[in-house]
Amino acid sequence: MKVVVFHGSPRKGNTYIATRLFMDGLSQCGEVSYSEFFLPEAIPEFCMGCQLCLSNSHEKCPHSSYIEPIFQEIMDADALVFTTPHYGACSMTGGMKNLLDHLDFLTLTVAPRKEIFNKKAFVLSTGTGSTAAIKPIKKYLKNWGINRVSSIGIRMFIDKWNSMPIRKRRKQEKRLCHAARKFFFMKKKIPYISSIFMYHINRFI
């Protein structure tokens, strides 16, 4: 299984540790290859909202030199993993939002891609606002037409992963391992009803 991982922060803190545990869990299930992108380094320029990728080819994006390699990795992947700590008012990082803004041309209402329908995705976040940070990312991915989107939010209530009581840390490690195994063996299903509906509406238009 080929997996592309998008790290919402360059800081290798709690979310990164949790992500590594999840990736280790995937690798224990079978053969897995990884491509990793750290944000914002992978896309140092902000989306300008010029909409050139929406009205023309996405190659017209002023930042296509950054976007094209990412787009090709997504197209070639079997699974996508998006990770972010919660920032500010319990939301994703600016780097992650910038990535999703740049990839808005993947939305079903712009240009449905059958390759996307066969992919699954996983969203991971740590922190007290992890659930709120995960929600909008899942919405983006479902709007792309991703077959299935799974997630896990880890509310730590503590600054450092290794500062958690051992019992609690072991519990979170087991959660991540179980989530990884479930994700690895997840069978391809009929796409979300909302995705099917949006696909046919856009096809008609």
Side-chain angles (χ1 to χ4, degrees), residues 48-200:
M48 300 186 298
C50 63
Q51 297 189 0
L52 288 176
C53 65
L54 305 183
S55 56
N56 299 278
S57 168
H58 58 85
E59 296 173 351
K60 298 293 185 180
C61 173
H63 309 139
S64 60
S65 60
Y66 303 116
I67 303 305
E68 278 305 301
I70 291 175
F71 172 72
Q72 291 303 324
E73 287 289 346
I74 290 175
M75 290 296 102
D76 294 340
D78 300 302
L80 311 174
V81 176
F82 297 79
T83 79
T84 179
H86 87 274
Y87 270 26
C90 301
S91 187
M92 71 184 88
T93 63
M96 180 61 69
K97 180 63 166 61
N98 187 42
L99 168 71
L100 297 173
D101 285 344
H102 271 100
L103 295 175
D104 201 38
F105 61 85
L106 292 175
T107 304
L108 282 169
T109 54
V110 177
R113 290 172 170 81
K114 62 181 181 180
E115 298 92 341
I116 294 290
F117 299 158
N118 295 320
K119 302 183 191 302
K120 55 187 176 182
F122 194 90
V123 186
L124 186 155
S125 181
T126 64
T128 54
S130 57
T131 302
I134 287 170
K135 188 175 180 179
I137 300 175
K138 291 182 72 173
K139 187 173 182 180
Y140 269 96
L141 301 179
K142 289 179 181 179
N143 285 341
W144 289 3
I146 294 287
N147 191 280
R148 281 295 178 273
V149 184
S150 302
S151 65
I152 186 170
I154 301 176
R155 295 183 176 182
M156 297 171 48
F157 300 105
I158 198 167
D159 291 339
K160 303 293 183 182
W161 183 274
N162 292 329
S163 296
M164 281 192 291
I166 294 179
R167 186 175 179 180
K168 184 175 181 180
R169 195 161 71 236
R170 294 288 181 267
K171 180 180 179 180
Q172 298 299 350
E173 290 170 357
K174 287 182 179 179
R175 282 186 67 203
L176 288 163
C177 185
H178 176 73
R181 184 174 182 81
K182 185 177 180 180
F183 184 67
F184 184 90
F185 291 108
M186 180 185 293
K187 301 296 183 181
K188 187 165 59 176
K189 302 178 181 179
I190 296 175
Y192 294 105
I193 296 300
S194 58
S195 298
I196 295 173
F197 177 77
M198 289 302 299
Y199 170 77
H200 285 292

